[in-house]
Amino acid sequence: MATTNPRIKALSDVGVSIWLDDLNRPMIGSGDLQKLIDEQDVVGVTTNPTIFASALKDGTAYNDQVKQLADGGATVDEAVFAITTDDVRNACDVMRPVYDATDGQDGRVSIEVDPRLAKDTDATIESAKKLWASVDRPNVMIKIPATVEGLPAITAALAEGISVNVTLIFSLDRYRGVMNAFLSGLEQARQNGKDLSTIRSVASFFVSRVDSEIDKRLDQIGSDDAQQVKGKAGVANARLAYQAYEEVFSTSRWQTLADDGAHAQRPLWASTGVKDPAYPDTLYVVELAAPDTVNTMPPKTLDALADHGEIKGDQVTGRYDEAKQVLDTLEGLGVSYADVVEVLESEGVEKFEKSWGELLASVQEELSTAAGNADYATQEA
């Protein structure tokens, strides 16, 4: 964790933890993940089904395990569970020195519950417990979506002492619900006799998708005023989320938990790869630099930061009036914030389910190819 890259160091110095939104088995085994830790201040990893599906199709790194699973008669769901938890467990081991050095704040690797369960509270809780027990590393985080049904699952998982990465947050109201679920979970954990200092959580607030949806609506409006606010909503929304974070974690309710050793749930900026090439490729890194935050970046965004990112210090604290003005302007133009965030959450769940389906299809194809094929383990994927 001693990068010589001044751009990356500048971001870390603001108080931003850099997490990588990517993981695959070759990255772990080749030492590339360790290199990112050493040279680019990467102090955490987030995963998703799309990442695992891509990794599985690329090369032979998974062939031995797939062959074993096929010969053992594993179902596709069992195979996906085994493959993904193995990768996350091994990544946790690589990240363990970071976890130890930061007293558990970083060095985290996130793995998500089956997104098909996003509307099923009880099944989500059971999935979280199963993943936590299987990975069996203190530095794993279980990703639970911030759907209405996900909120009580977040509370229940935290109450069991499970560290949680709350994902798929778009709206400020839902984010407040997430923070309430977090506080309730810690209060229950305390009642359950858990050591609050061992429980960590982040709240993943999605950024670029907000601009994608709102910009589309602004283009339909087509006026000069509409063009003026293009590309500003994602950052504004996230800045107001940070304001809400500051408010909640300065309450007496939080302070009583902090006095018992609890750590605040940090905001995590997710979906920070720029989707519109008209915008700077480091937009959501530079403009959302703020203390006690996490920015989880796809490799392309991390490379862009290292190459030409110009960090200007804290760009969030105290810019809340400006951010509110952006959202007010959008409402005035006829862009409904409530409708936008509802659409984004619905699409987000659908995208997670679709990518999970693609992962299942990829694994099923490999299992079918491996079954009865003695040479499969050495074949190119």
Side-chain angles (χ1 to χ4, degrees):
M1 293 192 298
T3 181
T4 56
N5 184 295
R7 297 174 183 86
I8 289 175
K9 184 176 185 302
L11 185 64
S12 298
D13 287 349
V14 174
V16 179
S17 292
I18 298 169
W19 289 9
L20 183 74
D21 192 26
D22 192 24
L23 183 68
N24 57 62
R25 195 161 291 182
M27 183 191 297
I28 300 166
S30 67
D32 285 350
L33 179 57
Q34 185 63 53
K35 192 174 178 184
L36 288 166
I37 295 168
D38 294 338
E39 297 181 5
Q40 295 198 302
D41 260 2
V42 168
V43 294
V45 174
T46 50
T47 64
N48 60 55
T50 302
I51 289 169
F52 281 123
S54 298
L56 197 72
K57 293 175 183 174
D58 187 19
T60 60
Y62 294 90
N63 286 20
D64 285 340
Q65 185 175 20
V66 169
K67 176 65 175 164
Q68 278 185 334
L69 290 164
D71 290 348
T75 66
V76 65
D77 285 298
E78 289 167 345
V80 166
F81 187 87
I83 290 166
T84 57
T85 53
D86 275 5
D87 274 4
V88 168
R89 186 181 307 110
N90 291 331
C92 281
D93 289 343
V94 175
M95 280 283 168
R96 184 59 188 263
V98 178
Y99 168 87
D100 291 336
T102 60
D103 193 29
Q105 173 166 278
D106 288 310
R108 296 285 176 171
V109 185
S110 295
I111 184 171
E112 72 182 72
V113 298
D114 183 337
R116 294 173 297 180
L117 310 176
K119 302 291 186 182
D120 188 331
T121 301
D122 291 340
T124 295
I125 294 167
E126 288 310 307
S127 178
K129 288 179 180 177
K130 188 180 175 188
L131 286 167
W132 179 260
S134 180
V135 175
D136 194 25
R137 296 292 186 271
N139 51 329
V140 70
M141 272 188 168
I142 309 303
K143 288 172 78 173
I144 299 176
T147 55
V148 170
E149 298 84 357
L151 295 177
I154 292 158
T155 294
L158 290 161
E160 294 289 330
I162 295 171
S163 292
V164 175
N165 176 343
V166 183
T167 189
L168 218 63
I169 308 171
F170 296 98
S171 82
L172 296 165
D173 281 348
R174 184 58 54 80
Y175 179 42
R176 288 186 179 276
V178 165
M179 289 188 284
N180 182 61
F182 169 74
L183 295 174
S184 297
L186 289 188
E187 287 160 353
Q188 292 180 25
R190 181 169 56 189
Q191 291 171 0
N192 293 340
K194 302 293 183 184
D195 178 357
L196 298 188
S197 70
T198 65
I199 305 170
R200 296 281 188 163
S201 184
V202 293
S204 296
F205 206 86
F206 281 52
V207 186
S208 67
R209 291 189 197 179
V210 173
D211 276 334
S212 295
E213 179 63 26
I214 288 179
D215 284 1
K216 182 171 66 178
R217 299 182 185 209
L218 292 171
D219 282 339
Q220 288 173 346
I221 294 167
S223 68
D224 289 344
D225 287 345
Q227 294 302 305
Q228 289 297 315
V229 283
K230 278 187 67 175
K232 294 183 178 178
V235 167
N237 196 37
R239 284 173 175 162
L240 292 173
Y242 192 83
Q243 180 185 32
Y245 155 78
E246 288 188 315
E247 288 173 6
V248 169
F249 290 99
S250 60
T251 59
S252 57
R253 182 185 180 192
W254 163 246
Q255 193 55 52
T256 60
L257 290 163
D259 290 343
D260 286 335
H263 301 282
Q265 181 188 57
R266 289 184 295 168
L268 178 152
W269 311 130
S271 183
T272 56
V274 172
K275 292 181 171 57
D276 187 334
Y279 302 147
D281 53 5
T282 58
L283 174 67
Y284 304 122
V285 177
V286 173
E287 295 301 323
L288 292 177
D292 303 314
T293 59
V294 179
N295 195 308
T296 184
M297 308 177 203
K300 190 175 174 183
T301 304
L302 179 59
D303 290 343
L305 168 65
D307 181 64
H308 53 261
E310 295 298 331
I311 302 303
K312 301 175 287 189
D314 180 354
Q315 294 298 298
V316 176
T317 308
R319 298 184 67 173
Y320 311 132
D321 288 346
E322 175 189 339
K324 189 172 185 305
Q325 183 60 51
V326 171
L327 298 193
D328 288 347
T329 299
L330 290 166
E331 290 287 345
L333 288 165
V335 177
S336 166
Y337 179 85
D339 185 64
V340 165
V341 294
E342 184 179 339
V343 166
L344 287 171
E345 180 180 307
S346 177
E347 286 183 351
V349 171
E350 285 177 17
K351 284 177 182 175
F352 274 21
E353 287 181 359
K354 183 182 177 188
S355 61
W356 190 264
E358 289 167 356
L359 174 59
L360 291 172
S362 296
V363 172
Q364 184 60 66
E365 183 180 347
E366 295 300 321
L367 286 171
S368 300
T369 304
N373 183 346
D375 298 325
Y376 174 83
T378 57
Q379 289 177 353
E380 288 294 325

